[in-house]
Amino acid sequence: MHRPFPWPEPKKEFPVHHSNVFKRQAYPRVNTLQRSDLHREFYRLYGKRCFDIVFCILSAPIVVLVICLLACLVAATGQSPFFTQERVGKDGRVFKMWKLRTMHPHDPHSLRDYLAQNPKARDEWRQNQKLRHDPRVTTVGRFLRCTSLDELPQFVNVLRGEMSLVGPRPMLVSQRGLYQGDHYERMRPGISGNWQVSSRNRARFSERADFDTHYFSALSLSEDLRILRATVGVVLRATGC
């Protein structure tokens, strides 16, 4: 007898189960680090501005009351309580920053003359772009500067989108050539920031770029909340000048 042609037996088909391994290969999960980067980028682009606006609105009753009281204190010395000063903002745009007045508006001894007569103060100004014992500062102004309460009117700049609650220290237009960094103009300058809550009066102007670079890389809601909490301690300790 002829044996039938040995056709190969059909292979048995088994149901395909999409295991976790297959899913991970076909649809790789975004790891924790990537998700964290996405959250920080979202906060940088959208969340930070929303946080600024909400915080300003909620704190407005207390902030406005304190500003009014301090303005009356400055006005009692015979001076106009508010003044504006040009500062460099995001993308290099120049804006007028609001502050409570802490100096004599028409001091007969200008800063240039004072520095010319005081070599030690001149060196301090060259390194830090500020003086711990500035002769132009009034008695009331010294209190406002120590507590940083002269910065409160900048809430107006925050609402206008020119500043943020937290960011780089606002730079004078004349200081542009002294700044050695790449991140300042990528952010809105802040009422508070890493410089204000860390080295503060001990830091040189050239070190501000390092603070800005660190803040830009760590920018997040948790970082802003940390700096705001630290700002409260700075105000209570009155470490400004």
Side-chain angles (χ1 to χ4, degrees):
M1 294 178 61
H2 295 286
R3 298 177 62 184
F5 192 81
W7 295 100
E9 294 184 6
K11 296 182 179 180
K12 296 182 179 180
E13 296 185 359
F14 297 95
V16 178
H17 297 284
H18 297 286
S19 64
N20 291 333
V21 176
F22 177 79
K23 286 182 179 180
R24 285 197 295 269
Q25 293 174 347
Y27 308 102
R29 293 182 303 173
V30 179
N31 59 39
T32 304
L33 180 60
Q34 290 174 324
R35 283 200 297 268
S36 177
D37 290 340
L38 290 174
H39 291 162
R40 282 201 298 267
E41 188 64 18
F42 180 84
Y43 180 75
R44 189 197 314 274
L45 295 175
Y46 309 107
K48 185 172 176 63
R49 180 64 185 146
C50 294
F51 176 73
D52 285 344
I53 294 174
V54 172
F55 188 95
C56 286
I57 292 175
L58 294 178
S59 61
I62 297 176
V63 172
V64 171
L65 176 61
V66 174
I67 290 176
C68 289
L69 293 175
L70 296 176
C72 291
L73 188 62
V74 176
T77 64
Q79 301 183 57
S80 174
F82 300 101
F83 80 103
T84 60
Q85 193 175 47
E86 288 190 341
R87 298 293 176 111
V88 181
K90 187 178 180 182
D91 299 324
R93 291 190 295 267
V94 177
F95 68 97
K96 290 185 177 181
M97 186 181 75
W98 284 88
K99 295 190 73 174
L100 284 166
R101 189 177 298 280
T102 59
M103 294 184 178
H104 298 287
H106 303 290
D107 189 6
H109 303 288
S110 67
L111 178 63
R112 181 179 300 177
D113 294 339
Y114 177 77
L115 296 180
Q117 299 170 10
N118 297 270
K120 187 175 181 179
R122 184 169 61 247
D123 293 339
E124 181 184 356
W125 178 265
R126 187 181 296 113
Q127 292 181 357
N128 304 335
Q129 289 293 293
K130 65 182 303 182
L131 299 174
R132 286 189 59 84
H133 304 288
D134 197 319
R136 301 169 298 167
V137 178
T138 64
T139 304
V140 174
R142 190 166 292 109
F143 163 74
L144 294 177
R145 286 189 161 210
C146 286
T147 57
S148 299
L149 292 175
D150 60 320
E151 314 283 357
L152 283 179
Q154 292 163 28
F155 271 69
V156 174
N157 296 112
V158 174
L159 288 173
R160 293 173 60 176
E162 298 162 336
M163 292 181 63
S164 178
L165 292 171
V166 180
R169 180 171 173 79
M171 187 195 310
L172 289 167
V173 177
S174 60
Q175 295 172 337
R176 264 176 162 170
L178 303 175
Y179 185 82
Q180 300 176 348
D182 301 321
H183 293 94
Y184 177 90
E185 294 186 359
R186 299 178 65 180
M187 301 175 283
R188 292 182 177 89
I191 298 178
S192 185
N194 266 332
W195 179 87
Q196 290 91 326
V197 300
S198 52
S199 295
R200 200 170 173 82
N201 302 319
R202 301 186 302 275
R204 298 183 178 185
F205 181 84
S206 58
E207 296 173 340
R208 289 190 190 177
D210 296 331
F211 287 109
D212 298 344
T213 299
H214 173 76
Y215 175 69
F216 184 83
S217 62
L219 202 160
S220 63
L221 177 59
S222 60
E223 178 69 3
D224 281 357
L225 291 175
R226 180 191 71 80
I227 292 176
L228 289 175
R229 285 194 298 267
T231 302
V232 176
V234 169
V235 171
L236 294 177
R237 291 192 299 271
T239 58
C241 73

